[in-house]
């Protein structure tokens, strides 16, 4: 089986970022990378804020945030009136959980592909309310039909108060059939929270077509926005029940203002987020998506080959559109979260390469991403240097 060819670099794209050229940044999915133009836009907003803080916060800021929200909601195909800006997807999840009014007989159902911080948030809310958390195992190679059936079988109408699923998982780069899962859950009267942290910018999506009760997505990962930029989309029947984690002066204004207004927080990341979307569109949204997915697939193959992983054993749970790929590590490596973090740091220090190392279901996985600032030779160098490093451990 031949190795897939890498895409042609997008001319000039690498120069849009201020990343350290001495490091290979192959882990865009964790914290993203902010283009220089977006950094400068945010700095101009900070300069405006510091020139006259009272005017910045009291004269039109609520309207400016609302205008930004409408722009970003349009980008993801969401209802602007049902969209609120939040700092990150995990914050949006916490807002939803504490707004549900859980009781001791309730349960929250999630899958074993969920993001670690989201799982911790669920556990905390269950401890606080007496509710129960139940985790549904889903095999990495399960078909979409098998995933939907597993969810259908796991639902407990009358007890399952919320189903939490990922649209695209962080730990396993698995793309779930979100709309089909939502439809099945709604047949049983169960509301659904979709964690789509990696979706905005990477994948084409229309949030309204998914039909979820709650949908959260980060803009700072694949949409080139400054960090602390994300959206929470809420279905109409839930909006009056959404409460902020901290009450401030827009509390009586209702959703989404009551959620967005948090007094003296730094709003410049939100206000500069449309510049990130503009940058993505300037490069060509579809062009960037195709480039990144193809580059990640190339990186997976060359590194996988170097580690002795047969091509048929390289998972592709996200499909050809996903710009994150997994490579199984030797069985003894990264079998715990702490071991995975230690190995990730070791690779960064010894190979000057930033990757994600995951521990999922007792197995270590290397997650590689593709972005417009990456080049094929970065994955090729990793393929040469990684096997002897792993052999030492």
């Amino acid at each position: 089986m031949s190795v897939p060819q890498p895409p042609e670099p997008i001319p000039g794209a690498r120069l849009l970022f201020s990343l350290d050229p001495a490091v290979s940044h192959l882990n865009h999915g964790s914290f993203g990378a902010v283009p220089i133009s977006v950094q400068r836009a945010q700095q101009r907003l900070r300069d405006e804020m510091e020139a006259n803080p009272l005017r910045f916060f009291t004269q039109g800021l609520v309207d400016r945030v609302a205008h930004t929200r409408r722009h970003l909601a349009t980008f993801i195909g969401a209802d602007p009136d049902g969209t609120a800006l939040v700092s990150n997807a995990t914050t949006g999840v916490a807002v939803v959980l504490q707004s549900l009014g859980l009781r001791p007989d309730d349960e929250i159902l999630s899958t074993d592909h969920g993001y670690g911080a989201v799982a911790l948030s669920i556990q905390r809310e269950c401890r606080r309310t007496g509710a129960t958390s139940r985790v549904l195992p889903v095999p990495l190679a399960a078909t979409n039909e098998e995933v939907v059936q597993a969810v259908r079988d796991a639902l407990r109408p009358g007890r399952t108060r919320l189903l939490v699923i990922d649209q695209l998982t962080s730990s396993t780069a698995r793309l779930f059939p979100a709309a089909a899962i939502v439809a099945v859950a709604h047949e049983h009267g169960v509301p659904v929270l979709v964690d789509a942290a990696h979706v905005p910018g990477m994948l084409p999506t229309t949030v309204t077509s998914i039909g979820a009760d709650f949908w959260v997505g980060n803009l700072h990962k694949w949409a080139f926005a400054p960090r602390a930029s994300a959206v929470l989309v809420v279905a109409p029947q839930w909006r009056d029940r959404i409460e902020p984690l901290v009450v401030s002066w827009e509390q009586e204004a209702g959703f989404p203002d009551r959620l967005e207004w948090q007094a003296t927080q730094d709003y410049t990341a939100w206000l500069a987020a449309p510049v990130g979307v503009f940058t993505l569109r300037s490069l060509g949204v579809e062009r960037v998506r195709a480039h990144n997915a193809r580059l990640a697939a190339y990186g997976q193959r060359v590194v996988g080959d170097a580690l002795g992983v047969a091509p048929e054993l390289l998972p592709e749970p996200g499909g050809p559109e996903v710009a994150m790929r997994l490579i199984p590590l030797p069985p003894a490596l990264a079998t715990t979260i702490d071991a995975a973090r230690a190995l990730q740091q070791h690779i960064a220090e010894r190979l000057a390469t930033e990757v994600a190392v995951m521990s999922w279901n007792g197995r270590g996985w290397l997650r590689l991403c593709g972005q417009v600032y990456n080049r094929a030779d970065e994955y090729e160098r990793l393929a040469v240097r990684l096997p002897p490093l792993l052999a030492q451990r």
Side-chain angles (χ1 to χ4, degrees):
M1 188 179 296
S2 61
V3 176
Q5 291 299 305
E8 288 293 325
I10 298 177
R14 196 168 192 172
L15 300 177
L16 298 177
F17 298 85
S18 56
L19 293 164
D20 183 353
V23 176
S24 292
H25 302 271
L26 307 182
N27 185 20
H28 185 88
S30 284
F31 295 101
V34 183
I36 296 171
S37 61
V38 182
Q39 296 178 40
R40 290 174 175 169
Q42 185 179 15
Q43 187 57 53
R44 287 193 295 270
L45 288 162
R46 286 178 173 145
D47 292 342
E48 176 191 349
M49 176 174 61
E50 297 305 331
N52 192 330
L54 187 65
R55 180 172 62 192
F56 181 86
F57 283 99
T58 63
Q59 296 185 22
L61 182 56
V62 173
D63 291 338
R64 292 173 75 176
V65 170
H67 176 76
T68 300
R69 176 205 315 140
R70 288 192 291 270
H71 182 93
L72 297 172
T74 300
F75 172 65
I76 60 173
D79 177 6
D81 293 332
T83 302
L85 298 175
V86 292
S87 58
N88 52 47
T90 312
T91 300
V93 170
V95 167
V96 171
L97 292 175
Q98 63 91 35
S99 298
L100 288 175
L102 293 172
R103 296 167 297 185
D105 290 336
D106 297 332
E107 73 169 17
I108 297 176
L109 178 64
S110 58
T111 79
D112 60 350
H113 294 251
Y115 187 58
V118 171
L120 292 172
S121 188
I122 292 172
Q123 292 167 17
R124 186 189 69 170
E125 193 64 19
C126 287
R127 286 195 303 269
R128 192 179 70 84
T129 62
T132 301
S133 170
R134 188 158 57 94
V135 178
L136 172 66
V138 176
L140 186 62
T143 66
N144 285 344
E145 293 75 15
E146 290 170 340
V147 173
V148 173
Q149 186 60 49
V151 171
R152 178 185 285 112
D153 294 341
L155 293 171
R156 298 175 180 174
R159 183 172 182 184
T160 307
R161 283 289 307 281
L162 183 69
L163 169 64
V164 181
I165 61 164
D166 295 75
Q167 187 169 345
L168 175 61
T169 69
S170 176
S171 58
T172 58
R174 167 75 203 233
L175 187 63
F176 278 144
I181 293 174
V182 169
V184 165
H186 285 177
E187 289 175 5
H188 293 78
V190 176
V192 183
L193 165 59
V194 174
D195 181 353
H198 286 273
V199 171
M202 187 204 293
L203 299 173
T205 191
T206 303
V207 175
T208 54
S209 68
I210 296 173
D213 301 83
F214 315 99
W215 187 96
V216 291
N218 287 322
L219 299 165
H220 67 261
K221 291 183 182 288
W222 301 91
F224 294 154
R227 290 169 200 89
S229 300
V231 291
L232 167 63
V233 183
V234 180
Q237 67 270 24
W238 290 97
R239 293 171 191 171
D240 290 342
R241 298 175 59 178
I242 294 295
E243 292 286 346
L245 300 176
V246 178
V247 173
S248 195
W249 285 103
E250 292 296 319
Q251 178 67 15
E252 300 305 317
F255 183 88
D257 290 341
R258 66 162 54 144
L259 198 60
E260 293 172 336
W261 186 257
Q262 293 293 306
T264 53
Q265 78 170 21
D266 188 349
Y267 297 91
T268 62
W270 294 354
L271 297 177
V275 182
V277 175
F278 175 79
T279 303
L280 180 59
R281 285 174 168 156
S282 297
L283 292 171
V285 177
E286 296 304 323
R287 183 187 191 189
V288 169
R289 287 171 176 162
H291 170 277
N292 293 348
R294 188 174 169 187
L295 188 59
Y298 176 77
Q300 179 196 40
R301 183 61 185 279
V302 295
V303 176
D305 283 353
L307 293 178
V309 181
E312 62 270 17
L313 298 180
L314 290 172
E316 192 180 339
E321 295 181 315
V322 173
M324 301 191 300
R325 294 297 182 105
L326 289 184
I327 302 166
L329 291 170
L333 292 177
T335 56
T336 66
I337 292 177
D338 288 342
R341 289 173 176 169
L343 178 57
Q344 179 173 316
Q345 183 177 351
H346 190 62
I347 293 171
E349 293 173 350
R350 296 291 299 275
L351 304 184
T353 302
E354 299 291 352
V355 297
V357 179
M358 307 293 189
S359 178
W360 184 74
N361 281 359
R363 180 70 189 267
W365 302 84
L366 183 73
R367 192 191 72 186
L368 298 177
C369 298
Q371 188 48 271
V372 295
Y373 51 74
N374 294 130
R375 296 292 183 269
D377 60 5
E378 294 179 290
Y379 305 91
E380 294 162 1
R381 285 198 302 271
L382 180 63
V384 172
R385 301 172 67 195
L386 183 60
L389 183 74
L390 297 183
Q392 294 173 7
R393 297 179 71 87

